Amino acid sequence: MEEHTQRKILSRSYPTVDSGEHSEANTGDSSEAPVDDCPCSRTETAEAPSIYKEFWRDNRAMMERRDYAKVLATISGLTAVGTLAVPLAGLTRVFERSYTGPVFSDGVALVDSEGERIEEGRLAEGEQLTVFPEPRPGIDQAPTLLVRFPTEAYGGATKLAYTTAGYAAYSKVCTHAGCMVADRDGDTLVCPCHSGRFDPLSGASVTGGPPPRPLPQLPITVSGGGELIAVGDFDGSVGAGGDE
């Protein structure tokens, strides 16, 4: 009985993967399906599922991913350039003064970019503001840096008679290449074009960079109405060139 059972097991056939059969056993001739065809006894080479194989091993897919990355990098670069275009245009703009007469004169009010006059309490100590001469025929907009510090903080080359209530005013046009002195490092005024540095507490004297001379100082005072006005023109040439 035991020998008969062993022969029966050995003669049993197993369905192959491609046969599509699902019967548990087949008592036919053992030559039709050798024991080695049993799925449980075969050793297969590990292979990634087809859903991953096509994506990761297809050269065309690799090229598409590289091209996609290049497109993203190009878009990012163009966006960055576009973002910088406006600020850079402002940094390199120079002051071109066509009017040959004085920029300011006695009694000309200082106004902000909206045309509003500057009252004495407009700035706190340590603050600054770009101002202009109040519009009148024949005078260009002359950008001017208005700063405010404690009166006792001024010294050096500062013309104290040109200051008032802690305010001092200097041309915003760099004396090196005519760019706008638009940055600040602590109390130091900085031109972003070539890193010219000026000390507003010492008559806007040059403390670094290529500018050949200080920013011209504007004589100012507070009017009877409590507004800042000029009492004359700048004490030197505005922008690049001029006397050193």
Side-chain angles (χ1 to χ4, degrees):
M1 180 66 180
E2 182 177 343
E3 182 179 352
H4 175 73
T5 302
Q6 291 178 353
R7 284 200 302 271
K8 184 176 181 180
I9 292 175
L10 292 175
S11 64
R12 182 178 299 174
S13 65
Y14 295 89
T16 63
V17 174
D18 297 329
S19 68
E21 296 175 1
H22 298 281
S23 59
E24 292 183 2
N26 189 338
T27 57
D29 188 359
S30 61
S31 62
E32 294 180 3
V35 176
D36 289 341
D37 283 341
C38 175
C40 61
S41 64
R42 290 202 311 271
T43 301
E44 297 184 6
T45 302
E47 186 173 346
S50 60
I51 190 172
Y52 297 108
K53 178 179 178 181
E54 181 179 355
F55 180 77
W56 288 110
R57 299 182 183 179
D58 190 328
N59 291 333
R60 290 174 300 175
M62 291 295 292
M63 288 300 295
E64 289 175 1
R65 290 197 299 278
R66 293 194 198 101
D67 293 342
Y68 182 65
K70 290 179 181 178
V71 170
L72 289 180
T74 301
I75 293 174
S76 299
L78 291 175
T79 302
V81 171
T83 303
L84 291 174
V86 175
L88 288 177
L91 297 182
T92 57
R93 186 190 65 173
V94 298
F95 176 63
E96 297 179 0
R97 174 177 156 196
S98 58
Y99 182 65
T100 57
V103 178
F104 283 91
S105 60
D106 189 14
V108 174
L110 277 60
V111 297
D112 61 18
S113 59
E114 302 298 324
E116 297 294 327
R117 291 190 174 189
I118 309 301
E119 296 182 350
E120 182 178 351
R122 177 70 176 270
L123 298 184
E125 292 180 350
E127 293 183 338
Q128 70 182 53
L129 178 69
T130 300
V131 296
F132 308 90
E134 191 169 44
R136 63 190 178 109
I139 287 191
D140 219 3
Q141 280 197 337
T144 303
L145 282 171
L146 181 68
V147 298
R148 192 176 195 184
F149 293 98
T151 302
E152 62 274 13
Y154 292 101
T158 305
K159 294 182 177 178
L160 296 178
Y162 285 12
T163 66
T164 182
Y167 285 98
Y170 303 100
S171 171
K172 186 171 181 168
V173 186
C174 184
T175 54
H176 172 238
C179 298
M180 299 297 106
V181 180
D183 294 345
R184 185 165 162 175
D185 180 9
D187 291 339
T188 302
L189 305 175
V190 182
C191 177
C193 289
H194 305 97
S195 299
R197 301 171 71 86
F198 305 89
D199 182 3
L201 297 174
S202 183
S205 57
V206 179
T207 60
R213 56 189 175 86
L215 299 174
Q217 187 174 352
L218 179 71
I220 57 176
T221 191
V222 177
S223 70
E227 299 167 340
L228 270 63
I229 61 173
V231 294
D233 199 10
F234 289 106
D235 64 352
S237 299
V238 171
D243 298 332
E244 297 187 13

